[in-house]
Amino acid sequence: MAYNVLHKLEGNIQAIRIALSWDGRTPVSEDDEALLKNYSGFGGIKAILYGDGNMESWKGQGASQEDERLYEPMQKLYALLGEHFDQNGYKAVVQSLKNSVLTAFYTPSIVPEILYSVLKNQGIYPQDIYEPSAGAGIFVTEAIKKFPSAKVTAVEKDLLTGKILKALTSRHPDSVAVHIKGFEQAPATDDGTYDLVVSNIPFGNFTVHDPTVDRRLSSRIHNYFFAKGLDKLKDGGLLAYVTTNGFLDSPSNQEARAYLFQRVNFICLAVMPDNLMWDT
């Protein structure tokens, strides 16, 4: 387990270094594109919470031995961020990473690969695709492969992850538009225009402050993403989310389920193995 987390952290740092060095204009090389795809976020890497202090500071905050093994690479990350951001920017980026620990779990490529293959097999070729929680862009990059003529709009709240996504999609400037902001802050001028809204959305009892969505639906972030996602769909469009059995079964989500089923037609449900995302 420790080795996997260390490997994940090192891959993240490598991708962050490429994204922060990117000039914002020139498409990245194929080699850099491959390294950017290795980014998997900081979901579950709680060592990010202990900050850039010394080891004694970490121990004082309750760091475990497993956390301590990540101390050196974590300090490399802080040093890298310090090279590219001023003091205020540095604090904002680090806080953004800390905020992502409970929600930023990324998706194995097999999920969008199968989803898009099923759509194609059914003769469905979406041309306008929306990804409201894009992460490092696995649903985005796979969409570009499967539907070369499609236009993709991607939204990612975390600043560093958004920079990585912009760099990663720099080889497809005419196909992908990236908004580095929360879903609640993304433009609403494109509501009702998308053939497909697709994502592995965040889950948890976190409230999203968005006056355009009923507070009963925005008190849990996963329910909010379902309600807000519907706003983006055109008539006949599809919403395809990775969700949990808790959303489908829990009484606490009943109101959100009712909201959905009163407004859209249920098409299908695919149950994935419990361990599919253990390594993400």
Side-chain angles (χ1 to χ4, degrees), residues 33 37 109 113 116 120 138-150 152 172 175:
E33 183 182 48
K37 287 181 178 179
S109 60
E113 286 172 1
Y116 295 147
K120 291 184 73 172
I138 190 63
F139 280 102
V140 175
T141 54
E142 291 299 323
I144 294 171
K145 292 180 187 177
K146 292 289 187 180
F147 308 110
S149 62
V152 183
H172 308 277
S175 300

Side-chain angles (χ1 to χ4, degrees), residues 159-192:
L159 176 60
L160 277 182
T161 306
K163 286 181 175 290
I164 287 168
L165 181 57
K166 280 198 168 188
L168 178 61
T169 57
S170 63
R171 296 168 64 85
H172 308 277
D174 298 327
S175 300
V176 182
V178 177
H179 300 296
I180 305 179
K181 55 187 63 182
F183 192 14
E184 69 277 14
Q185 299 168 322
T189 52
D190 56 358
D191 284 1

